[in-house]
């Protein structure tokens, strides 16, 4: 089985084109639901992530995609709803001929996966959720949430990382403390190509539970 970078294809979710790839030929399907930023082609230059994908593809058929507004998928106006973003999963599964799949998601991909599983239980065989949260902002029944001021400050710090020379590299080092400089540069490049500063700032208007469109 060839393990180079797969061909990038496009699925339709309403009037939006969603970039996706298919890797491996295993007996069951796994959809990798990305966090806030992804780029289906440049993420292959991050050695640890490429190794993870190839490892999963030794056991399964893996579907990768960029959420609407990020990576090679269409940019969209405003902030998509959680339901709209969850429909990106359906579009990719349909395009790849996947009737049922396990969903593996991290961070901002977790709410998408949960909503899709609740809406289409017959199409989800398993949920693998990493670093997700029930919501982002503080509420009376969610005291560990951030205040709106804290959340907006965090968004501005991420936007500032885009605008400051070396800022994305510094952000990548905080995400991957054990990575070498080549991986750090690759991760920063993926974030730079995967989303614009406006993407991060605009997501501040999003629902508290599904942060960063």
């Amino acid at each position: 089985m060839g393990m180079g970078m797969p061909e990038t294809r496009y699925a339709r979710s309403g009037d939006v084109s969603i970039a996706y790839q298919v890797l491996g030929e295993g007996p069951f399907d796994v959809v990798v639901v990305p966090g806030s930023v992804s780029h289906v082609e440049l993420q292959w230059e991050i050695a640890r992530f490429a190794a993870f994908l190839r490892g999963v593809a030794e056991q399964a058929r893996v579907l990768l995609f960029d959420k609407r507004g990020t990576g090679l998928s269409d940019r969209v106006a405003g902030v998509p709803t959680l339901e709209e973003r969850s429909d990106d999963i359906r579009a990719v599964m349909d395009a790849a001929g996947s009737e049922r799949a396990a969903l593996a998601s991290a961070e901002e991909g977790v709410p998408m996966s949960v909503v899709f599983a609740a809406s289409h239980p017959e199409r989800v065989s398993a949920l693998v959720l990493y670093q997700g949260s029930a919501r982002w902002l503080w509420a009376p029944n969610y005291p560990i949430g951030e205040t709106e001021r804290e959340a907006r400050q965090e968004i501005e710090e991420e936007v500032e990382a885009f605008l400051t020379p070396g800022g994305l590299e510094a952000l990548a080092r905080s995400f991957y403390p054990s990575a070498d400089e080549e991986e750090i540069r690759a991760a920063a490049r993926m974030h730079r190509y995967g989303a614009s500063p406006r993407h991060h700032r605009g997501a501040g208007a999003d629902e508290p539970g599904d942060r960063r469109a």
Side-chain angles (χ1 to χ4, degrees):
M1 176 173 62
M3 280 292 188
M5 185 184 77
E7 175 189 2
T8 299
R9 310 170 188 174
Y10 285 90
R12 298 288 288 179
S13 179
D15 59 354
V16 177
S17 295
I18 305 299
Y20 76 99
Q21 295 179 345
V22 179
L23 179 71
E25 301 172 351
F28 63 96
D29 291 347
V30 175
V31 179
V32 177
V33 182
S36 60
V37 179
S38 66
H39 191 293
V40 288
E41 296 193 355
L42 289 179
Q43 64 194 12
W44 287 98
E45 297 181 10
I46 305 173
R48 63 189 59 216
F49 193 64
F52 161 72
L53 294 176
R54 291 186 177 110
V56 178
E58 289 176 0
Q59 310 294 328
R61 188 172 75 128
V62 181
L63 281 59
L64 316 169
F65 71 98
D66 291 331
K67 296 182 305 185
R68 60 183 61 207
T70 67
L72 292 175
S73 293
D74 278 343
R75 298 297 188 256
V76 292
V79 180
T81 66
L82 190 52
E83 289 74 19
E84 285 172 330
R85 279 179 280 151
S86 296
D87 194 61
D88 294 350
I89 299 173
R90 178 208 56 77
V92 168
M93 289 180 64
D94 286 354
S98 176
E99 294 183 8
R100 196 160 183 256
L103 306 184
S105 56
E107 301 170 345
E108 287 78 11
V110 168
M112 284 176 61
S113 298
V114 170
V115 166
F116 183 81
S119 306
H120 305 279
E122 74 286 352
R123 301 198 67 174
V124 178
S125 59
L127 279 173
V128 181
L129 310 176
Y130 176 69
Q131 285 190 332
S133 58
R135 55 182 290 135
W136 187 21
L137 296 183
W138 180 93
N141 62 349
Y142 197 72
I144 65 171
E146 295 183 5
T147 65
E148 187 167 339
R149 171 184 275 186
E150 289 170 337
R152 293 198 178 280
Q153 181 177 349
E154 192 174 324
I155 290 169
E156 286 305 316
E157 286 173 357
E158 289 190 6
V159 171
E160 194 62 28
F162 274 85
L163 304 179
T164 305
L168 282 178
E169 285 77 5
L171 201 60
R173 286 188 193 94
S174 70
F175 291 153
Y176 310 115
S178 63
D180 61 26
E181 281 305 300
E182 185 177 348
E183 274 196 287
I184 292 300
R185 286 193 296 272
R189 191 161 51 248
M190 186 202 76
H191 277 76
R192 192 173 293 114
Y193 280 79
S196 68
R198 183 186 295 271
H199 164 80
H200 285 268
R201 182 175 281 125
D206 205 356
E207 288 300 313
D210 50 345
R211 153 177 207 248
R212 287 187 292 192

